[in-house]
């Protein structure tokens, strides 16, 4: 069953994969997302998207996972946005921003997400759980670097 209500905005790219709630899944999800974002022509966003995916996947692992239930990562683009969604089975454990002091080791993940993404939020997952998402406006034009065929992106304007 899909995690999000079908959008009237047509998708340009979409990829989703379920991960076992293990620490190595964070790394696997980050690497996969960087590869996809680059292949889709938006390599300029890859570092920010990778960090956000790491934060959202880590939060799902630490606060949203249940034994025997998977965490889903969905990455998609429309003509106007690039979006990542991380869904987990714990709908009652919603993320929130919190104030942290300089000596606290944890609690900065959503502050990073807020700083790096153009927008983010959380909503119910179709079925059971929640989906935390982050997105970027694509004032980007996908281009191919001359001679190497490797997709890269640049900010228009």
């Amino acid at each position: 069953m899909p995690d999000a209500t079908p959008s009237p905005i047509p998708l340009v790219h979409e990829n989703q994969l379920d991960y076992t709630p293990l620490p190595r899944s964070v790394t696997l999800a980050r690497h996969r997302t960087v590869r996809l974002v680059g292949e889709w022509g938006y390599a300029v966003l890859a570092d920010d998207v990778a960090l956000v995916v790491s934060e959202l996947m880590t939060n799902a692992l630490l606060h949203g996972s249940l034994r025997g239930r998977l965490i889903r990562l969905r990455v998609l683009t429309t003509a106007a946005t690039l979006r990542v969604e991380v869904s987990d089975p714990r709908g009652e454990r919603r993320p929130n921003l919190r104030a942290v002091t300089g000596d606290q080791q944890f609690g900065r993940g959503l502050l990073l997400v807020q700083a790096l993404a153009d927008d983010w939020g959380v909503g119910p997952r179709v079925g059971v759980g929640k989906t935390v998402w982050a997105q970027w406006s694509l004032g980007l034009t996908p281009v191919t670097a001359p001679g190497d065929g490797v997709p890269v992106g640049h900010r228009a304007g």
Side-chain angles (χ1 to χ4, degrees):
M1 188 167 238
D3 285 342
T5 305
S7 170
I9 300 170
L11 298 178
V12 176
H13 300 100
E14 179 182 25
N15 185 280
Q16 69 181 23
L17 190 62
D18 292 335
Y19 292 89
T20 304
L22 298 170
R24 70 182 278 255
S25 294
V26 175
T27 302
L28 294 171
R30 182 179 62 244
H31 289 294
R32 181 182 184 85
T33 302
V34 166
R35 182 181 54 79
L36 289 170
V37 169
E39 287 175 1
W40 294 346
Y42 300 105
V44 70
L45 292 175
D47 289 342
D48 288 353
V49 174
L51 185 52
V52 167
V53 165
S54 290
E55 292 298 334
L56 296 182
M57 287 289 293
T58 298
N59 283 350
L61 176 68
L62 295 176
H63 308 294
S65 64
L66 291 171
R67 183 180 302 248
R69 299 291 304 271
L70 299 173
I71 298 169
R72 174 167 291 163
L73 171 64
R74 181 175 179 230
V75 184
L76 60 100
T77 64
T78 66
T81 60
L82 184 149
R83 180 176 174 115
V84 296
E85 300 174 351
V86 175
S87 300
D88 66 58
R90 301 283 305 266
E92 77 281 5
R93 300 203 62 192
R94 297 174 65 88
N96 54 37
L97 290 171
R98 62 182 196 205
V100 293
T101 61
D103 62 344
Q104 289 180 303
Q105 184 177 0
F106 299 102
R108 291 178 176 79
L110 290 177
L111 294 171
L112 286 171
V113 171
Q114 183 177 42
L116 294 173
D118 293 334
D119 197 11
W120 75 278
V122 61
R125 180 181 187 180
V126 174
V128 175
K130 69 180 172 299
T131 298
V132 183
W133 55 269
Q135 69 183 29
W136 292 260
S137 295
L138 293 179
L140 298 172
T141 305
V143 297
T144 301
D148 64 9
V150 176
V152 297
H154 68 279
R155 292 202 180 270

